[in-house]
Amino acid sequence: MKLKNTLGFAIGSLIAATSFGALAQGQGAVEIEGFAKKEQFDSARNFKNNGNLFGGSVGYFLTDDVELRLGYDEVHNVRADNGRNIKGANTALDALYHFNNPGDMLRPYVSAGFSDQSIGQNESGRNRSTFANVGGGAKLYFTENFYARAGVEAQYNIDQGDTEWAPSVGIGVNFGGGSKPAAAPVPAPAEVCSDSDNDGVCDNVDKCPDTPANVTVDADGCPAVAEVVRVELDVKFDFDKSVVKPNSYGDIKNLADFMKQYPSTTTTVEGHTDSVGPDAYNQKLSERRANAVKQVLTNQYGVESSRVQSVGYGESRPVADNKTEAGRAVNRRVEAQVEAQGK
């Protein structure tokens, strides 16, 4: 593949990727990058100068931190001692482990893998070598989707026994990771049926069926509804923290006591954040907050784990103005509620 075709494909992919609206950087995300390397050839190569390598790569995140990357580049501006041009290409398969969390602005990484290099002089054949690669670097995310990368690789030539170095820089796009949780459905308002002829059954059967004679009815002839009792929980968190504060334990215990009083009840613990920071990071933070409250309910106050679900909504459901500090403090919360029919 010619260099201009390789770069054209990479640039086209970068442009196309901007049309994807899914959350980036998490498990299932794809990264497409164009890069340049400066390979420091071993002296055994008998080259007059080091090589400029240009190419592209495609990576897939197997987990939030582990990426499998396939790369291709071509060698330029290298001359042998006899003055002939050196041309060649590299194909590499590497695994990258990223530090920090998806959505963080800076994500350092380490890498390891293998590459195949075919390189040689005009009119004198080609040399093909297999390399074992190890490296490291960092990615700087300007937005959720666009980043710049700088790193360095050590390349051990398995066939010849020498080691070469290749510092590199690149720019890329990240798209297609896990989607945000769907908003909870809003329940439809309850229908109320009436008993206009006072015969003890509902008249508007289109809305609800006739009430049997042996069932207690209300003034409208509909089944009497038992009193509903409810307890609500609202736990606040410090900025960028997911640790439950001591002054919230009493409220969590009240919820636990209520659930023990009504053993058939269940609840969903919902985590939220303010709008400071990348959306992907806030999503993970909200999940950690919800899970922290769940752990207090189950581990400390004895509510069965199967009765408590936890979910994070990131910054998507503010209840106050995120433009003010007071509003952001209100939005850094975990909410839960439990309803039961009164005894």
Side-chain angles (χ1 to χ4, degrees), residues 249-308:
Y249 276 71
D251 292 336
I252 299 175
K253 184 178 184 300
N254 289 339
L255 180 66
D257 291 343
F258 184 89
M259 295 185 71
K260 292 177 182 178
Q261 182 180 359
Y262 298 95
S264 63
T265 56
T266 62
T267 189
T268 298
V269 180
E270 302 176 351
H272 305 271
T273 72
D274 59 29
S275 62
V276 178
D279 187 72
Y281 178 79
N282 284 337
Q283 173 61 36
K284 293 292 184 181
L285 178 59
S286 70
E287 293 170 5
R288 293 197 298 272
R289 286 174 174 171
N291 191 58
V293 173
K294 176 182 177 179
Q295 293 303 313
V296 175
L297 273 171
T298 57
N299 294 346
Q300 183 150 340
Y301 294 127
V303 178
E304 295 89 342
S305 180
S306 60
R307 298 172 59 195
V308 183

Side-chain angles (χ1 to χ4, degrees), residues 16-277:
T18 62
S19 64
F20 289 81
L23 178 68
Q25 303 180 32
Q27 181 178 3
V30 174
E31 283 192 343
I32 298 177
E33 179 184 310
F35 62 80
K37 293 183 179 180
K38 187 72 172 180
E39 185 161 357
Q40 313 295 312
F41 291 112
D42 188 89
S43 59
R45 299 265 201 168
N46 295 319
F47 295 159
K48 284 186 174 181
N49 58 330
N50 296 314
N52 297 323
L53 282 64
F54 303 97
S57 67
V58 177
Y60 179 79
F61 277 78
L62 303 175
T63 70
D64 284 349
D65 303 315
V66 178
E67 175 189 9
L68 193 63
R69 183 181 67 185
L70 179 65
Y72 174 85
D73 59 72
E74 296 184 351
V75 180
H76 291 266
N77 303 326
V78 182
R79 291 184 179 274
D81 286 342
N82 60 13
R84 292 186 181 275
N85 289 326
I86 302 298
K87 293 184 178 180
N90 299 279
T91 302
L93 181 64
D94 295 296
L96 282 69
Y97 181 85
H98 298 76
F99 300 93
N100 294 341
N101 297 306
D104 286 350
M105 187 174 185
L106 183 66
R107 297 204 73 185
Y109 69 87
V110 292
S111 65
F114 296 92
S115 61
D116 178 83
Q117 184 181 85
S118 177
I119 191 170
Q121 304 177 37
N122 293 337
E123 302 176 1
S124 62
R126 303 184 71 80
N127 172 262
R128 192 159 191 167
S129 299
T130 300
F131 290 84
N133 309 320
V134 294
K139 297 177 181 178
L140 181 66
Y141 289 87
F142 300 109
T143 69
E144 279 192 3
N145 300 99
F146 290 97
Y147 70 91
R149 182 190 59 80
V152 63
E153 286 183 339
Q155 303 171 314
Y156 175 74
N157 192 321
I158 298 174
D159 300 309
Q160 299 177 195
D162 51 44
T163 301
E164 299 178 343
W165 297 85
S168 65
V169 294
I171 56 172
V173 65
N174 180 308
F175 61 91
S179 60
K180 297 181 180 179
V186 178
E191 296 284 357
V192 177
C193 37
S194 61
D195 180 23
S196 59
D197 54 5
N198 297 315
D199 62 357
V201 295
C202 299
D203 296 325
N204 50 338
V205 293
D206 290 339
K207 294 184 177 181
C208 57
D210 290 348
T211 304
N214 61 346
V215 174
T216 303
V217 296
D218 59 17
D220 293 322
C222 295
V225 179
E227 179 185 2
V228 175
V229 289
R230 176 189 295 111
V231 63
E232 297 181 351
L233 179 67
D234 188 356
V235 178
K236 296 297 192 292
F237 287 82
D238 291 333
F239 176 72
D240 199 27
K241 300 295 183 182
S242 58
V243 177
V244 178
K245 295 189 284 188
N247 61 5
S248 296
Y249 276 71
D251 292 336
I252 299 175
K253 184 178 184 300
N254 289 339
L255 180 66
D257 291 343
F258 184 89
M259 295 185 71
K260 292 177 182 178
Q261 182 180 359
Y262 298 95
S264 63
T265 56
T266 62
T267 189
T268 298
V269 180
E270 302 176 351
H272 305 271
T273 72
D274 59 29
S275 62
V276 178

